[in-house]
Amino acid sequence: MPDSLLAKANTYANNQWDKLEILFSNGNIDVDNNSTARAIRPITLFRTHFVITIYVLIINSKCLFMK
């Protein structure tokens, strides 16, 4: 069954084996990306608030012109 999901996962793991060996041989490498997510969180929050603010301003200006 070379087309099964398990076979695809096995092939992927075998193709990534060199990178996995580096990851597991070095205890200083983080397996997750929590530190990166925490680092970019202020940027994404600013972007979200900026988009919402612009949206509200546009809606308010359309309401003003519709009166």
Side-chain angles (χ1 to χ4, degrees):
M1 284 201 212
D3 292 333
S4 71
L5 290 178
L6 184 60
K8 288 179 182 180
N10 190 23
T11 301
Y12 178 80
N14 284 336
N15 290 338
Q16 303 299 320
W17 192 254
D18 294 337
K19 296 174 186 91
L20 289 171
E21 282 182 335
I22 293 170
L23 178 70
F24 294 131
S25 67
N26 186 347
N28 295 324
I29 299 175
D30 287 335
V31 178
D32 60 10
N33 64 350
N34 286 337
S35 58
T36 304
R38 282 191 305 270
I40 66 169
R41 184 168 170 80
I43 298 167
T44 57
L45 284 176
F46 171 77
R47 182 186 64 212
T48 303
H49 290 285
F50 179 77
V51 168
I52 291 171
T53 303
I54 295 298
Y55 178 74
V56 168
L57 289 173
I58 290 171
I59 294 300
N60 286 340
S61 65
K62 286 183 178 180
C63 289
L64 289 173
F65 288 116
M66 295 178 94
K67 288 184 180 182

